[in-house]
Amino acid sequence: MSALIVLLFGVWDDRATLSPGIKFLGQLIAVHIVVLVGGVEIHSLTFALRVELPEIVGAPLTVLFLLGVTNAIN
């Protein structure tokens, strides 16, 4: 479902030049579907030791990470 949203916003952007805010909104919707419906979430970080993250940190960190990756690819 998220891939379809990204595809639709991409086609829409190709047909009519979208503002960065609208493109970001599409990415945000897609990422939230992945996190909320798909259950994808960063639960821990590993540097020298593994650190478990509370859910209040893990979910927003996952959203930021996925938005960053999506924009890097875009």
Side-chain angles (χ1 to χ4, degrees):
M1 185 66 167
S2 292
L4 179 62
I5 290 171
V6 171
L7 175 70
L8 291 175
F9 270 83
V11 169
W12 187 18
D13 186 38
D14 289 343
R15 299 283 181 203
T17 304
L18 298 179
S19 69
I22 297 294
K23 289 188 238 182
F24 185 74
L25 177 65
Q27 294 171 1
L28 196 59
I29 292 168
V31 166
H32 273 85
I33 289 172
V34 168
V35 173
L36 297 175
V37 177
V40 175
E41 187 176 323
I42 298 172
H43 294 284
S44 65
L45 296 175
T46 304
F47 297 110
L49 299 172
R50 184 176 185 165
V51 177
E52 296 293 325
L53 298 173
E55 188 173 332
I56 196 163
V57 174
L61 182 62
T62 305
V63 169
L64 288 174
F65 175 77
L66 291 175
L67 283 173
V69 169
T70 303
N71 278 292
I73 293 171
N74 191 14

